């Protein structure tokens, strides 16, 4: 989190430099697949960073945002957007998600579900924050590494288990091309210039 605090001032510029397209791709996916009307929806933006996602979602008509992030520096930038009704500091996985249960019509987490960042255990907290019948939209990048492969298996196993438990239902999933530039080339045996990603949309069960 100290790194993110120090990175905050150049984060958006650097994101453009590495072609970090995850927010755009996921918001486009929501535009095509979210079945509700955006105007009155309470959105929980988890790992909100500087507010990139809220900026894009506001163009679709979403107006009510609560943001959560582990970096004070990032939250300060998010506050400057003027889009969030509340911003909350929490390090996911070590602290509880600071959100009331059953409140949000849409919960989004973009880019943070990966090894070494947000543990798979947080999926249940995301689901719990959504109101019955509300939606949870999540994205995950696909680095070519053993830790990333293990994270994907663990995450998709948990997604399936939660569906079997009746907590939510998968609405759709999609592949995202050119999610971001492959900044891990130094560490991987690959020449791929861009990484792919996956986006998931779930609906919390009413019962």
């Amino acid at each position: 989190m100290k790194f993110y605090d120090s990175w905050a001032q150049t984060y958006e510029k650097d994101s453009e430099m590495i072609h970090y397209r995850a927010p755009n791709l996921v918001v486009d996916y929501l535009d095509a697949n979210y079945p509700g009307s955006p105007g009155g929806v309470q959105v929980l933006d988890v790992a909100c960073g500087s507010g990139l996602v809220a900026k894009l979602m506001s163009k679709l008509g979403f107006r009510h945002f609560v943001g959560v992030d582990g970096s004070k520096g990032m939250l300060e930038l998010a506050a400057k957007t003027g889009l969030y009704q509340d911003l909350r500091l929490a390090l996911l996985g070590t602290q509880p998600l600071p959100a009331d249960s059953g409140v949000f019509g849409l919960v989004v987490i973009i880019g943070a579900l990966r090894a070494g960042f947000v543990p798979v255990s947080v999926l249940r907290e995301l689901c719990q924050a959504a109101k019955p019948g509300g939606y949870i939209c999540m994205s995950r990048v696909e680095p070519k590494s053993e830790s990333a492969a293990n994270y994907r298996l663990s995450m998709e196993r948990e997604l399936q288990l939660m569906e079997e438990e009746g907590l939510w239902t998968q609405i759709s999933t999609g592949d995202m091309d050119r999610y971001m530039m492959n900044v891990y080339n130094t560490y991987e045996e690959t020449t791929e210039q861009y990484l792919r990603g996956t986006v998931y949309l779930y609906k919390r069960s009413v019962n």
Side-chain angles (χ1 to χ4, degrees):
M1 288 303 99
K2 289 181 180 178
F3 169 75
Y4 275 91
D5 286 342
S6 64
W7 190 21
Q9 296 306 315
T10 61
Y11 174 76
E12 293 194 8
K13 181 179 179 180
D14 292 344
S15 293
E16 291 181 9
M17 189 180 304
I18 64 171
H19 297 182
Y20 179 59
R21 301 177 62 241
N24 304 74
L25 292 170
V26 175
V27 172
D28 286 348
Y29 186 85
L30 277 173
D31 190 28
N33 293 278
Y34 178 69
S37 176
V41 177
Q42 291 285 338
V43 179
L44 180 64
D45 184 4
V46 182
C48 65
S50 63
L52 286 173
V53 175
K55 289 178 186 177
L56 294 169
M57 291 182 67
S58 68
K59 295 178 181 179
L60 300 182
F62 292 94
R63 294 288 178 266
H64 308 286
F65 297 94
V66 171
V68 176
D69 202 88
S71 164
K72 291 181 181 179
M74 289 294 187
L75 289 177
E76 289 171 0
L77 290 180
K80 291 179 181 179
T81 67
L83 295 171
Y84 293 91
Q85 282 71 57
D86 194 10
L87 289 162
R88 304 167 185 177
L89 180 69
L91 189 60
L92 300 178
T94 62
Q95 298 171 306
L97 180 67
D100 294 332
S101 298
V103 170
F104 297 92
L106 178 59
V107 178
V108 296
I109 181 168
I110 298 175
L113 290 170
R114 54 192 297 189
F117 285 74
V118 173
V120 169
S121 60
V122 171
L123 294 176
R124 291 179 180 267
E125 295 182 87
L126 301 176
C127 180
Q128 190 175 23
K131 68 181 183 180
Y135 293 83
I136 304 97
C137 184
M138 305 162 283
S139 80
R140 179 180 49 75
V141 68
E142 305 267 10
K144 307 293 185 181
S145 67
E146 183 178 355
S147 61
N150 290 337
Y151 188 95
R152 174 178 182 168
L153 289 173
S154 180
M155 178 176 169
E156 295 193 338
R157 186 162 48 241
E158 183 73 349
L159 294 173
Q160 180 63 33
L161 180 60
M162 289 172 64
E163 190 160 13
E164 291 171 359
E165 292 174 7
L167 299 177
W168 61 12
T169 302
Q170 186 183 83
I171 301 301
S172 60
T173 183
D175 294 325
M176 295 184 292
D177 194 21
R178 298 169 71 91
Y179 188 97
M180 62 180 286
M181 287 183 68
N182 185 5
V183 296
Y184 307 100
N185 270 332
T186 304
Y187 313 104
E188 299 175 359
E189 295 180 1
T190 178
T191 57
E192 293 181 12
Q193 186 178 1
Y194 287 90
L195 296 173
R196 299 181 62 85
T198 304
V199 59
Y200 308 84
L201 184 63
Y202 279 77
K203 182 177 181 179
R204 182 175 176 180
S205 299
V206 174
N207 297 325

